[in-house]
Amino acid sequence: MEIGLDIFLQVVVWGLYAGCIYILLATGLNLIFGVMKVVNFAHGQLLMIGAYVTFSFFVLTGFNPYVLLAASVPILIILGVSIERLCFRPIMGTGKLNEIFISIGLIYILENVAAMIWTDEWKVIKSPFEAITVTVGSMKIPVDYIIIIITTAVTLVALYLFLKKSRLGLAVRATSQNRKAAMLVGINVERMDMLSFGIGAGLAGAAGTLWVVSGQVFNPYMGSVPAVKAFAIVIIGGLGSIPGAIIGGLLLGIAENFTVFTIGGAWKDAIAFLILIIVLVLKPTGLFGEKAE
Amino acid sequence: MKLQYAFLLIAIVVIGAFLSGCTQQQASTASGQALKIGVVASMTGPSSTTGKDVWQSAELAADEINAKGGVYVKELGKSVPIVLVQGDDESTREGGQKAVSRMLTQDNVDMLVGGFSSAVVSAHQSMVAEHNVPYIITGASTPVITRRTDVNTSFMFHHAPTTDDSGSQTTLFIDEGIRPAINEKFGYSADRPLRLAVLYQDSPYGKGHLEAVKNTISNSSLNIKVVAEESFKMGESDFRTALTSIKSADPDVVYVAAFLNEQIPIETQAMRDVDLKKIFIAIEPNDDPDFYKGVGKYGEYSIIQSRFSPYTVPKGPTEAATKKFVTDFDKKYGGFPGMMGVATYEGVYIGAKAVENAGTLNKLAVRNAIADLQMPQMVEAMKGQTINFSRDFRESKFDLTMEQLIWDPAVNETRPKIVSPQNLKETGFVLPDWFVPAKA
Amino acid sequence: MLMDEKNRVILFICLAVLAFAFLLPLATGQNAYYLTVLILMVIFIIFASAWNFLTYSGQGSLGHAAFFGIGGYISALVAMKSGLTPYLTIFFGGAGAALTGLFIGAICVRMKEWFLAMVTFGFAVIIQVLVASQFREITGGWDGIAAPPLISSSVPNYLLYEYYSILVIAVAVLLLFRYILQSKTGLAFSAIRENELEARAAGIDPVRYKLFAFMVSAFFAGLAGALEIHYLGYITPEIFGVDISFWPIIYSISGGLGTLAGPVIGTIVITLLWDGLQSLGLTYPRFIIIGVILVLVVIFLPRGLVSLPGEIRKRAPGWMAWVHKRIPR
């Protein structure tokens, strides 16, 4: 199929937008992994809860849904910290696959609690800026997407500054690099665990709000696909590497859209795993991964 | 050592006994005292929204019939009430098999109605075939269901529009309703082929529609050219690239075979993001209040196929029944029952009528009565205004309507207006001002 | 002496359970519902045991539905094209799954934990797309294909015989696993699982053993899949779904990882619980209860339900003392 430049650019823009949700999820997963060396497979269910929290507050208050980030992020942070305390801390240091098993349990719990609270009908809300578009060259880009891309970028910069400039961020990074040494210099690593899990969950909550705002429909079971892809991104980018997560997220967003354009939509989910497998065969630690243990 | 394993063994036995006790309690009503109908519904899992509609509609039908004294069975010389048994297929093949076998052997149901996902139904069909229990399947859009040759499907009746029926009626409307309108408005010659793009769910439902469209075009030699075939995974939410691809193929009309949760983002993204100013077509399961709410103004002027609409009632024989059903359902459960719901509601009535005609609860006699049934249509418009099942594959034939979505400022949403068939139409099909025909 | 007695007790328990499994359908008058529950349960015992076998070698999989489904498709196709009895074609199904397992294993053999989990998960997704789209000419695409029944339904009591034959296969599979795990191979597995580097130093080739484990696990997962679809009579690409990958994990974990009895007990307890909660009308809470059980088992009972009696015995004196202290005399 012949691809004109304008279509090419258009597909890149769709990819960028789709990449934002993935990046927020993947960054959170990566932060958690860096500090705790565990993987939360139920991360997509946190996104789903974030979406429903936004929905509920929108229905109750009628606020601009972007403002509701101020609700979904804190609530998800609290939820994340509770999950860390109740489920993941007890299994720290036990068998390597245990967190996957815990996550499977969490997936069942979160999805069905959501179904009991909000029913499993598809839900959708409308952004107030829905109809506004910005013309860039030959493209019309909805202003919502621009806000979403900017929100994601700002969140990432804020996270970067927090990790690089603040004392607490330094402690998080220290724990991430060497847990034992961090403990020796007096860092309370368990607090770092809670903090990183909280931030990770908060980012998933933000992704949930952005998901809702962009006019996507959602139900309790919608979280698993984005999460599994986010995890594929984490591995493609390299476990523990946040730049890797960002580049991996953009790469996957764009690759998926080109797959739809060329091979067909049936391959959209499979392509993430094809890339994953190819990357791992060529470079077993991922694109930006540190040396394997 | 001995103690602990003995303990385990006892625990297993106790659990087993407990469970068999639980399940046995349900089979209390002696047969012959009631018409027992098993309702196969996905009460849990991804299809549970539909499952609830199915179960509640069946309940509504049973309550209505029982309020009028039940079903008269000549052989017994009296009327018996309908007793419904719920069989949750959990939206999985294994769950369906368990639910159906339980209803067949524990509850000893006289017939089954319901069934939603094609994959789930095909997995428990052989179990039903062994027991020779009439099964009125009110879901499962694929025509394969009653055309399988490896199991005996002669007790199974399909009371839902198949993808073949629904696809061919839509394609005929595109040819008879939309193609001339475009040619007329833009002054094209009458033999200009209409360019059609198909965007379909990668599932039996979506693939079935694609095949039906293509077969209808070639069998009826329609002047329609399929210029794009794009698929998407079930549950997809981002269609921008597929729509961009469709845009580059330059169609006049986009035929979408999707579920509600996909149809809404498809039409929204097409209009808002991709600037695809074409006529969009949605298939019958989408005609639901949530669709109008979700698609908002982006659905304006699009076409939706329907067999039962929340907002428009076809004038004529089905009008009163439809209004009554919708009001009663809303009064009892709150909300709109949906297509699978209404088909199951009719399915219970079909079963009751067949038992009355047969004058017995004997399953073979009831099966034959369903096969010979000539019953006036109820809520959904049927071909020939009667519910009857075809001789060859035991399918009932639906008269589907095509509606166009017109903006209604009073409710700030679009509302459907019937544009086809001729005898039911409220207004003519209009091409919106923003419509851009294909260049080629 | 103690070991001997323990073994004898275990043997006695196994025989008792088997006798119970054998007699149950007769006692319930060959009720088709109980047979359905039992047949699916035994098939999933095979499946969960096959999944569990992989963990002996220190590997894991989140995509065993791939093998389950491939086994089903190949067996259905071979049985349909050749007219052979499904009792033979299930082995073709298993062999096809084993070959796929060898291929996936070869890619995964150097990966650990999360990488392995994701790659196996991904393979299930990719294989579903392949079966539904690329190979639809032979697989029937999303419409699926019919699979011949294990025993024709014209045979009286066919369900009962299907159940018995599946039970026999399950017992044979479990005995085979026991044999392998007690042989040198089993020792090599545990050496690799504990420490791959040391195992290598001891002259064990981890790659060879890991591939072997992957193949065996895939073979019997495929066999279980083939049994299921011949029992159900129809196969569609939904068989590659995530829930099919997750069930054997849930069963094995709750029963007890790395034990032969674990997947068996886990499957029995969880399926009974599942259907029991269903008949109590707890539709959504059922999923939540299973989820909570899984979390609790991983945290508090890391060796699964099989270790429950031992744990109780270990802690019972403490509890008794606690109770005694509070009972006024």
Side-chain angles (χ1 to χ4, degrees):
Chain A
M1 192 182 291
E2 207 172 303
I3 301 177
L5 184 66
D6 53 335
I7 291 181
F8 176 81
L9 282 175
Q10 184 124 57
V11 173
V12 169
V13 170
W14 305 148
L16 264 181
Y17 153 75
C20 284
I21 306 273
Y22 293 150
I23 289 173
L24 286 175
L25 284 178
T27 310
L29 277 172
N30 235 334
L31 190 68
I32 298 171
F33 178 81
V35 173
M36 298 175 71
K37 304 283 179 284
V38 301
V39 165
N40 175 24
F41 269 91
H43 214 62
Q45 280 61 36
L46 297 177
L47 168 126
M48 178 269 293
I49 301 279
Y52 274 106
V53 168
T54 313
F55 170 81
S56 293
F57 275 90
F58 180 77
V59 172
L60 283 176
T61 64
F63 283 160
N64 181 319
Y66 289 105
V67 176
L68 295 176
L69 277 173
S72 67
V73 174
I75 290 179
L76 263 289
I77 290 179
I78 294 169
L79 181 66
V81 171
S82 333
I83 290 178
E84 195 276 325
R85 288 298 300 258
L86 292 174
C87 301
F88 284 93
R89 184 171 304 173
I91 56 149
M92 288 288 283
T94 62
K96 285 272 174 136
L97 290 168
N98 274 354
E99 77 256 24
I100 296 179
F101 307 148
I102 286 263
S103 304
I104 293 176
L106 280 173
I107 290 173
Y108 279 104
I109 296 172
L110 292 173
E111 284 185 350
N112 290 285
V113 166
M116 286 180 77
I117 299 177
W118 290 287
T119 78
D120 46 14
E121 307 263 344
W122 291 96
K123 297 268 196 280
V124 62
I125 61 175
K126 299 249 173 251
S127 155
F129 313 131
E130 189 190 37
I132 310 169
T133 55
V134 179
T135 311
V136 182
S138 61
M139 278 182 292
K140 266 174 48 183
I141 303 174
V143 78
D144 277 325
Y145 294 179
I146 296 173
I147 302 180
I148 287 170
I149 293 173
I150 291 172
T151 310
T152 309
V154 169
T155 312
L156 291 175
V157 169
L159 182 67
Y160 176 83
L161 290 177
F162 166 75
L163 289 176
K164 288 275 159 170
K165 304 284 175 191
S166 74
R167 281 188 64 84
L168 208 53
L170 188 71
V172 170
R173 281 192 299 142
T175 318
S176 178
Q177 273 162 11
N178 191 331
R179 198 176 173 89
K180 280 209 186 91
M183 228 183 303
L184 285 178
V185 298
I187 294 172
N188 182 343
V189 291
E190 296 203 327
R191 264 184 60 201
M192 295 306 120
D193 289 348
M194 271 165 60
L195 185 69
S196 63
F197 211 102
I199 296 175
L203 291 176
T209 302
L210 297 184
W211 181 282
V212 171
V213 175
S214 64
Q216 311 266 38
V217 288
F218 54 96
N219 78 353
Y221 312 108
M222 63 69 146
S224 33
V225 174
V228 168
K229 286 188 197 163
F231 193 64
I233 290 164
V234 171
I235 290 184
I236 292 171
L239 272 173
S241 157
I242 289 180
I246 296 171
I247 292 172
L250 291 177
L251 195 76
L252 183 68
I254 294 170
E256 274 187 347
N257 282 288
F258 273 97
T259 309
V260 174
F261 199 76
T262 49
I263 317 176
W267 279 93
K268 187 174 170 184
D269 287 346
I271 200 71
F273 299 105
L274 268 180
I275 297 178
L276 172 79
I277 291 165
I278 292 168
V279 166
L280 285 186
V281 167
L282 296 179
K283 193 164 183 297
T285 53
L287 292 178
F288 297 85
E290 298 140 34
K291 267 189 66 141
E293 344 144 34
Chain B
M1 280 299 162
K2 236 176 209 164
L3 192 76
Q4 69 188 59
Y5 286 97
F7 170 79
L8 196 68
L9 188 67
I10 291 165
I12 293 171
V13 174
V14 166
I15 293 175
F18 161 69
L19 290 165
S20 48
C22 281
T23 41
Q24 220 128 36
Q25 278 166 4
Q26 295 177 343
S28 50
T29 328
S31 70
Q33 295 308 307
L35 167 57
K36 268 200 185 174
I37 302 182
V39 182
V40 185
S42 309
M43 301 304 290
T44 47
S47 325
S48 58
T49 326
T50 322
K52 256 167 256 154
D53 287 347
V54 165
W55 170 247
Q56 293 173 340
S57 304
E59 259 188 345
L60 183 63
D63 290 351
E64 285 176 10
I65 296 171
N66 290 343
K68 286 183 191 154
V71 183
Y72 182 71
V73 185
K74 199 173 162 212
E75 196 182 60
L76 300 173
K78 61 170 181 180
S79 290
V80 295
I82 294 181
V83 173
L84 293 183
V85 180
Q86 189 185 82
D88 176 13
D89 69 22
E90 303 170 22
S91 314
T92 64
R93 302 166 309 126
E94 292 85 1
Q97 180 81 348
K98 283 184 197 169
V100 165
S101 67
R102 197 201 74 222
M103 292 193 290
L104 291 176
T105 59
Q106 295 291 102
D107 304 314
N108 292 312
V109 295
D110 298 299
M111 68 174 65
L112 294 166
V113 297
F116 173 56
S117 153
S118 304
V120 174
V121 172
S122 54
H124 63 238
Q125 266 182 301
S126 61
M127 174 66 79
V128 178
E130 303 319 331
H131 286 79
N132 288 333
V133 171
Y135 188 5
I136 301 166
I137 301 165
T138 53
S141 59
T142 172
V144 175
I145 288 296
T146 49
R147 296 180 188 207
R148 282 173 70 177
T149 50
D150 62 304
V151 292
N152 173 16
T153 57
S154 65
F155 277 68
M156 295 170 208
F157 298 86
H158 204 175
H159 183 59
T162 61
T163 49
D164 279 357
D165 286 347
S166 149
S168 83
Q169 292 192 34
T170 316
T171 315
L172 289 173
F173 171 74
I174 295 171
D175 185 62
E176 289 157 13
I178 304 181
R179 197 170 58 84
I182 294 174
N183 290 345
E184 193 186 336
K185 178 164 180 180
F186 296 95
Y188 296 137
S189 72
D191 59 1
R192 170 189 182 269
L194 180 134
R195 293 170 68 85
L196 180 70
V198 183
L199 179 58
Y200 63 97
Q201 189 188 62
D202 190 29
S203 68
Y205 165 75
K207 283 256 161 70
H209 271 278
L210 176 69
E211 293 307 313
V213 168
K214 289 201 216 157
N215 291 341
T216 312
I217 293 174
S218 67
N219 293 348
S220 313
S221 333
L222 302 181
N223 196 7
I224 296 176
K225 195 173 160 206
V226 177
V227 292
E229 294 170 21
E230 292 287 329
S231 65
F232 56 86
K233 291 278 279 190
M234 197 189 277
E236 180 61 72
S237 57
D238 182 350
F239 301 91
R240 297 168 184 89
T241 300
L243 290 165
T244 306
S245 184
I246 285 178
K247 190 182 179 186
S248 67
D250 198 23
D252 293 306
V253 174
V254 184
Y255 186 118
V256 183
F259 289 154
L260 183 94
N261 57 303
E262 299 144 355
Q263 191 79 31
I264 293 170
I266 287 174
E267 295 196 22
T268 306
Q269 292 167 11
M271 294 294 154
R272 183 186 65 179
D273 306 348
V274 184
D275 207 20
L276 190 54
K277 302 289 192 210
K278 307 294 176 184
I279 298 294
F280 274 76
I281 294 184
I283 304 308
E284 44 92 7
N286 294 296
D287 202 359
D288 186 280
D290 288 344
F291 174 67
Y292 297 94
K293 191 162 163 263
V295 79
K297 70 179 172 51
Y298 298 111
E300 210 181 353
Y301 295 112
S302 68
I303 297 289
I304 186 163
Q305 184 185 44
S306 181
R307 49 198 257 230
F308 173 57
S309 171
Y311 296 128
T312 181
V313 179
K315 299 269 173 281
T318 61
E319 199 176 347
T322 308
K323 279 186 178 151
K324 181 177 178 316
F325 173 62
V326 172
T327 341
D328 289 351
F329 189 92
D330 192 42
K331 209 171 5 174
K332 192 158 180 187
Y333 303 104
F336 176 73
M339 329 291 129
M340 302 295 169
V342 68
T344 313
Y345 173 82
E346 293 172 344
V348 172
Y349 270 98
I350 292 172
K353 182 81 186 159
V355 168
E356 256 178 37
N357 288 357
T360 167
L361 289 174
N362 175 289
K363 295 188 178 69
L364 181 64
V366 173
R367 182 257 158 217
N368 291 336
I370 302 177
D372 296 334
L373 192 74
Q374 295 288 338
M375 182 176 154
Q377 63 186 2
M378 297 184 63
V379 178
E380 296 173 276
M382 308 298 296
K383 290 253 183 261
Q385 309 203 346
T386 26
I387 299 176
N388 61 340
F389 293 92
S390 63
R391 283 281 151 204
D392 49 358
F393 297 116
R394 297 165 305 285
E395 291 163 350
S396 56
K397 296 293 175 191
F398 288 75
D399 218 352
L400 303 169
T401 57
M402 306 301 292
E403 305 161 350
Q404 188 164 29
L405 271 53
I406 303 295
W407 187 253
D408 183 350
V411 290
N412 222 16
E413 276 178 27
T414 58
R415 285 294 176 261
K417 296 275 174 242
I418 298 174
V419 292
S420 170
Q422 282 299 328
N423 57 333
L424 297 176
K425 79 179 191 185
E426 298 170 285
T427 60
F429 168 76
V430 279
L431 274 176
D433 295 333
W434 46 255
F435 174 76
V436 188
K439 287 178 216 77
Chain C
M1 199 51 213
L2 192 75
M3 277 311 288
D4 259 358
E5 201 211 343
K6 187 183 170 188
N7 279 338
R8 230 180 302 142
V9 172
I10 292 176
L11 184 69
F12 166 74
I13 304 268
C14 289
L15 289 176
V17 169
L18 257 180
F20 183 68
F22 184 83
L23 292 173
L24 188 64
L26 298 177
T28 55
Q30 300 189 30
N31 179 303
Y33 170 57
Y34 289 120
L35 277 171
T36 301
V37 172
L38 286 173
I39 289 175
L40 287 172
M41 193 189 280
V42 177
I43 290 172
F44 274 84
I45 286 178
I46 303 177
F47 188 27
S49 302
W51 184 87
N52 186 42
F53 184 83
L54 188 60
T55 62
Y56 279 97
S57 67
Q59 304 179 91
S61 160
L62 283 185
H64 251 47
F67 308 123
F68 193 74
I70 285 177
Y73 267 103
I74 292 182
S75 180
L77 286 167
V78 172
M80 216 170 53
K81 299 261 146 68
S82 69
L84 285 173
T85 160
Y87 284 112
L88 287 176
T89 60
I90 54 172
F91 294 99
F92 287 93
L99 275 180
T100 320
L102 183 64
F103 174 70
I104 297 177
I107 289 178
C108 295
V109 77
R110 282 174 222 287
M111 296 176 190
K112 288 201 97 169
E113 291 100 26
W114 312 285
F115 294 77
L116 186 61
M118 281 313 287
V119 170
T120 46
F121 187 96
F123 263 109
V125 174
I126 293 170
I127 286 171
Q128 183 181 49
V129 176
L130 284 175
V131 166
S133 317
Q134 300 319 107
F135 297 128
R136 67 167 168 271
E137 300 298 320
I138 46 171
T139 61
W142 282 105
D143 279 337
I145 44 169
L150 281 170
I151 299 172
S152 160
S153 57
S154 54
V155 177
N157 301 335
Y158 73 100
L159 263 186
L160 187 70
Y161 297 132
E162 283 188 358
Y163 168 62
Y164 284 152
S165 59
I166 294 171
L167 192 62
V168 168
I169 294 172
V171 171
V173 170
L174 287 173
L175 288 177
L176 180 71
F177 282 171
R178 193 180 124 92
Y179 172 77
I180 296 176
L181 293 169
Q182 289 188 340
S183 71
K184 263 178 153 169
T185 313
L187 283 176
F189 281 172
S190 55
I192 293 166
R193 189 174 68 234
E194 294 310 322
N195 191 327
E196 204 170 318
L197 279 179
E198 278 175 23
R200 205 188 289 270
I204 296 168
D205 178 5
V207 172
R208 231 185 72 202
Y209 282 102
K210 281 177 151 185
L211 282 183
F212 175 73
F214 227 107
M215 272 182 72
V216 172
S217 175
F219 182 91
F220 289 103
L223 192 84
L227 285 171
E228 193 203 40
I229 63 98
H230 286 297
Y231 164 63
L232 293 177
Y234 208 82
I235 184 167
T236 57
E238 272 87 352
I239 199 169
F240 296 105
V242 178
D243 54 329
I244 298 286
S245 287
F246 278 8
W247 280 124
I249 306 178
I250 295 171
Y251 295 150
S252 304
I253 305 289
S254 46
L257 267 189
T259 57
L260 272 177
V264 180
I265 289 169
T267 311
I268 294 173
V269 171
I270 299 285
T271 41
L272 287 184
L273 195 63
W274 185 253
D275 291 331
L277 293 173
Q278 155 94 327
S279 60
L280 293 176
L282 298 168
T283 43
Y284 291 115
R286 183 171 58 154
F287 287 91
I288 300 170
I289 291 168
I290 298 283
V292 170
I293 289 179
L294 201 59
V295 171
L296 292 180
V297 164
V298 175
I299 296 175
F300 296 107
L301 211 58
R303 286 176 299 131
L305 290 174
V306 280
S307 66
L308 188 61
E311 293 283 322
I312 290 175
R313 253 168 57 106
K314 208 166 68 191
R315 298 192 187 171
W319 295 340
M320 291 309 281
W322 188 85
V323 172
H324 274 286
K325 251 190 271 171
R326 275 158 188 76
I327 296 174
R329 281 170 197 267

